[in-house]
């Protein structure tokens, strides 16, 4: 249950506030894998991904108060921080990733593999909805979210007008939102 | 209230434009200009706030789609990097539980709490649109629902958190802060400012619908602190019509324009203040949305009244420090 998970996470954070390394180790055991793999997916560089993952845990060690239950799940918050740190690193160091759209077929394949279990039901639903999106819209969404590329940057890479990219991004999110609601309604 | 209804209708094109900017903003890739515009307009468009909350939740869930193929390095590598915690360090961390903190990363989102409401039988409850909508209604409830059966009892907290997030974002932009203050403190001058913008938008719509009202010359209406002008006084784009409104107290304003031609990929529109021979001050760049409406919210670095004209030109993407092409439309200040 989320209550238990959040309560456990909160207890760990409180212990980390007191300087308890064992609590940090426990947190690492819980969330290092998804945080590391997310950073690795964004950066496509294991060394940089390890640095980002450690930076996320160091942030929690040094400033555990930055997360609170009001901000959502700790796991989601950590992954969100990791994503931003990774994209920031991409931009700062101009790390060259394979941002050709073909590379995102790989993620489409990954959409069917094991993912973070804590949000398994949400993940499964979104995975199925992502597969329903037209490839061109899914690519733009993934390039935006996991590479941090602006519409203009994607337009330049794909040799497509910026307006078209913006339109595809908007359509992708609108469809996901609509389909999500439909799926929930069908369950009622 | 009739006035509220009218205001909401007048704001519709602005909110429509805001919706077109939301995806990149929600995913953290909006330009600085777009981000400022989004944050300034969000308090005026409750539906957009709801959509933004939904998009962010989609983003949160997208994070969980990344594969888990690789094992992370052993924890010892992390532990070796840990700085020692001192008592002073502990004391410094005892901050108010609900204090707002900024992540040390650019444009980091504020991951919101789950908005899921769960009924006793485990079925998810959906907020219908009519329940959450209303002209200029504050504190809209996110409509996007988590699917997993885990987050019961957080609906009120979600609404409160959403309000807090809204206020936090609003504080980043002066205008948004003013509007927030308007809602909470009922400041008469700000109410007038908002009304002026609303009226201007309404007149723009009226002008668009009735070309006979457009007139060839710009006109300026001066109230105590609010000014507005209809463009063009001169135009190289026959179909272009624009409304320019600003507050001379804080030099904040907005431009709404229609009828400009669609640009090439690497071009953008740029708004200028002009005076004398070639003295120009940029107020920012903007693009047209899918319906052909361009909106720019700006804060001028110098008093707008020190300039004689406003103009819109086509510039390279990202804008320039001085106009490089003739103004497409010009208005008198």
């Amino acid at each position: 249950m989320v209550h238990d998970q959040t309560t456990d996470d909160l207890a760990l954070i409180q212990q980390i506030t007191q300087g308890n390394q064992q609590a940090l180790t426990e947190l690492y055991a819980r969330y290092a894998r998804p945080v590391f793999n997310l950073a690795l997916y964004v950066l496509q560089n294991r060394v940089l991904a390890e640095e980002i993952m450690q930076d996320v845990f160091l942030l929690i060690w040094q400033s555990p108060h930055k997360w609170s239950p009001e901000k959502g799940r700790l796991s989601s918050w950590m992954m969100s921080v990791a994503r931003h740190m990774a994209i920031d690193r991409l931009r700062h160091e101009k790390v060259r990733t394979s941002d050709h759209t073909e590379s995102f077929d790989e993620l489409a394949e990954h959409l069917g593999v094991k993912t973070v279990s804590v949000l398994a039901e949400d993940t499964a639903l979104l995975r199925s909805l992502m597969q329903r999106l037209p490839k061109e819209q899914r690519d733009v969404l993934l390039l935006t979210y996991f590479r941090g590329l602006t519409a203009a940057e994607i337009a330049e890479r794909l040799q497509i007008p910026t307006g078209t990219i913006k339109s595809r991004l908007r359509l992708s999110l609108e469809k996901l939102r609509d389909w999500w609601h439909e799926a929930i309604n069908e369950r009622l | 209230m009739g006035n509220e209804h009218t205001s909401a209708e007048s704001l519709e094109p602005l909110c429509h434009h805001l919706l077109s900017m939301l995806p990149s903003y929600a995913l953290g890739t909006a330009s600085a200009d777009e981000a400022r515009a989004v944050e300034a307009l969000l308090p005026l468009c409750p539906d957009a706030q709801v959509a933004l909350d939904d998009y962010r939740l989609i983003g949160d869930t997208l994070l969980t789609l990344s594969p888990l193929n690789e094992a992370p390095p052993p924890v010892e590598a992390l532990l070796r990097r840990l700085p020692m915690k001192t008592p002073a360090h502990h004391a410094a961390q005892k901050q108010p539980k609900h204090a707002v903190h900024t992540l040390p990363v650019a444009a980091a989102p504020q991951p919101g709490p789950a908005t899921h409401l769960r009924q006793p039988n485990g079925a998810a409850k959906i907020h219908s649109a009519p329940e959450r909508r209303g002209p200029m209604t504050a504190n809209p409830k996110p409509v996007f629902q988590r699917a997993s059966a885990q987050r019961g009892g957080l609906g009120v907290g979600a609404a409160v958190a959403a309000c807090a997030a809204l206020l936090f974002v609003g504080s980043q932009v002066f205008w948004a802060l003013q509007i927030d203050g308007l809602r909470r403190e009922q400041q008469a001058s700000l109410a007038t400012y908002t009304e002026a913008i609303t009226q201007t938008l309404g007149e723009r719509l009226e002008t668009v619908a009735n070309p006979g009202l457009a007139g060839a010359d710009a006109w300026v209406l001066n109230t105590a602190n609010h000014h507005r002008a209809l463009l063009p006084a001169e135009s190289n784009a026959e179909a272009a019509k624009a409304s320019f409104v600003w507050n001379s107290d804080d030099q904040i304003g907005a431009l709404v324009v229609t009828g400009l031609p669609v640009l090439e990929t690497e071009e953008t529109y740029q708004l200028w203040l002009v005076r004398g021979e070639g003295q120009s001050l940029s107020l920012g760049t903007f693009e047209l949305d899918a319906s052909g409406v361009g909106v720019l919210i700006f804060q001028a670095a110098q008093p707008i009244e020190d300039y004689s004209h406003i103009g819109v030109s086509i510039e390279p993407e990202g804008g320039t420090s001085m106009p490089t092409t003739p103004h497409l439309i010009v208005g008198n200040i």
Side-chain angles (χ1 to χ4, degrees):
Chain A
M1 292 180 57
V2 68
H3 170 75
D4 292 338
Q5 189 65 57
T6 301
T7 303
D8 288 351
D9 287 345
L10 186 57
L12 284 178
I13 290 295
Q14 288 169 344
Q15 292 173 44
I16 289 170
T17 302
Q18 300 302 318
N20 186 332
Q21 284 195 11
Q22 186 56 42
L24 186 70
T25 301
E26 170 62 24
L27 197 70
Y28 191 90
R30 288 185 188 179
Y31 301 129
R33 191 179 189 96
V35 170
F36 172 68
N37 277 276
L38 173 65
L40 183 60
Y41 181 72
V42 173
L43 289 160
Q44 299 178 345
N45 180 308
R46 188 176 180 90
V47 173
L48 292 179
E50 287 182 11
E51 287 181 13
I52 293 297
M53 182 202 63
Q54 290 189 3
D55 286 346
V56 171
F57 281 92
L58 280 174
L59 172 67
I60 290 176
W61 176 253
Q62 293 177 301
S63 307
H65 54 270
K66 289 194 172 182
W67 173 78
S68 65
E70 288 79 10
K71 293 184 176 179
R73 291 174 174 278
L74 178 59
S75 58
S76 296
W77 183 81
M78 290 175 66
M79 293 179 74
S80 181
V81 171
R83 169 182 166 261
H84 280 274
M85 283 184 171
I87 289 174
D88 195 45
R89 183 68 65 89
L90 271 181
R91 290 186 168 277
H92 212 75
E93 300 192 0
K94 302 188 186 310
V95 176
R96 189 63 187 176
T97 57
S98 58
D99 47 26
H100 296 294
T101 56
E102 288 76 13
S103 70
F104 288 90
D105 290 338
E106 188 182 348
L107 182 65
E109 294 174 10
H110 285 306
L111 295 179
V113 305
K114 179 184 177 185
T115 55
V116 180
S117 60
V118 292
L119 295 172
E121 193 174 346
D122 292 342
T123 301
L125 174 58
L126 187 59
R127 181 192 307 144
S128 67
L129 300 184
M130 287 287 286
Q131 289 170 333
R132 286 172 60 185
L133 280 179
K135 181 180 182 303
E136 62 271 18
Q137 291 176 15
R138 187 173 63 220
D139 285 342
V140 169
L141 176 59
L142 296 176
L143 282 169
T144 302
Y145 198 65
F146 288 108
R147 293 289 181 273
L149 296 178
T150 65
E153 289 168 336
I154 297 173
E156 181 183 350
R157 281 165 171 73
L158 302 184
Q159 296 296 298
I160 294 173
T162 304
T164 302
I165 300 299
K166 289 183 175 180
S167 176
R168 288 179 182 178
L169 180 61
R170 180 177 182 179
L171 284 172
S172 68
L173 282 179
E174 286 179 348
K175 284 179 180 175
L176 288 176
R177 185 187 186 205
D178 290 343
W179 291 342
W180 189 287
H181 287 302
E182 289 173 8
I184 299 298
N185 284 329
E186 287 173 3
R187 292 180 185 179
L188 293 179
Chain B
M1 296 288 289
N3 289 339
E4 291 177 353
H5 183 67
T6 301
S7 297
E9 286 184 344
S10 300
L11 288 171
E12 191 173 332
L14 206 55
C15 291
H16 179 76
H17 180 74
L18 171 60
L19 285 171
S20 72
M21 294 188 288
L22 273 188
S24 58
Y25 179 80
L27 301 184
T29 58
S31 67
D33 285 343
E34 285 179 328
R36 275 194 297 272
V38 168
E39 289 159 8
L41 295 174
L42 267 177
L44 299 174
C45 307
D47 285 352
Q49 181 63 57
V50 174
L52 177 61
D53 292 338
D54 285 357
Y55 292 161
R56 282 178 167 164
L57 282 169
I58 289 174
D60 281 354
T61 310
L62 269 176
L63 291 173
T64 67
L65 294 185
S66 59
L68 294 175
N69 297 337
E70 300 292 327
V75 70
E76 285 71 20
L78 170 67
L79 297 179
R80 281 195 294 273
R81 288 185 63 190
L82 292 186
M84 291 298 294
K85 288 200 173 190
T86 64
H89 191 162
H90 293 165
Q93 292 183 351
K94 291 180 180 177
Q95 299 185 12
K97 185 178 180 182
H98 298 289
V100 177
H101 305 287
T102 303
L103 297 177
V105 288
Q110 303 277 323
T115 58
H116 169 84
L117 288 180
R118 187 63 55 175
Q119 294 177 338
N121 63 1
K125 178 183 178 183
I126 302 296
H127 295 292
S128 62
E131 287 179 328
R132 70 179 191 284
R133 289 184 176 181
M136 306 299 289
T137 301
N139 307 335
K141 294 179 180 178
V143 69
F144 190 78
Q145 306 286 321
R146 285 288 196 191
S148 55
Q150 295 178 326
R151 276 144 270 171
L154 293 180
V156 174
V160 172
C163 292
L166 176 65
L167 294 178
F168 174 70
V169 168
S171 69
Q172 304 304 303
V173 177
F174 180 78
W175 188 23
L177 182 61
Q178 298 285 52
I179 292 170
D180 174 50
L182 169 66
R183 287 182 170 168
R184 292 187 299 168
E185 302 172 16
Q186 301 294 305
Q187 296 176 356
S189 61
L190 291 176
T192 304
Y193 180 45
T194 300
E195 183 183 351
I197 290 178
T198 302
Q199 287 177 355
T200 303
L201 289 169
E203 286 163 2
R204 183 192 67 77
L205 291 175
E206 187 179 5
T207 300
V208 171
N210 186 355
L213 297 176
D217 299 325
W219 56 269
V220 177
L221 172 66
N222 289 323
T223 62
N225 301 306
H226 313 106
H227 315 269
R228 50 187 164 164
L230 285 182
L231 285 70
E234 302 171 17
S235 175
N236 293 318
E238 292 182 359
K241 296 181 180 65
S243 181
F244 180 83
V245 58
W246 76 96
N247 182 306
S248 57
D249 283 346
D250 47 31
Q251 302 301 328
I252 288 176
L255 173 81
V256 181
V257 59
T258 61
L260 289 174
V262 176
L263 296 179
E264 300 296 326
T265 304
E266 297 177 352
E267 293 177 332
T268 187
Y269 286 108
Q270 191 160 2
L271 177 64
W272 304 92
L273 290 172
V274 183
R275 67 183 173 194
E277 291 296 326
Q279 294 186 51
S280 298
L281 175 68
S282 172
L283 292 177
T285 61
F286 63 94
E287 297 174 1
L288 306 181
D289 67 12
S291 59
V293 177
V295 177
L296 176 66
I297 310 294
F298 60 82
Q299 182 165 27
Q302 298 175 18
I304 294 172
E305 294 79 8
D306 289 352
Y307 290 79
S308 58
H309 296 85
I310 47 179
V312 174
S313 65
I314 298 175
E315 304 297 342
E317 195 170 53
T320 60
S321 57
M322 292 292 290
T324 62
T325 65
H327 292 309
L328 277 180
I329 52 175
V330 175
N332 299 320
I333 294 178

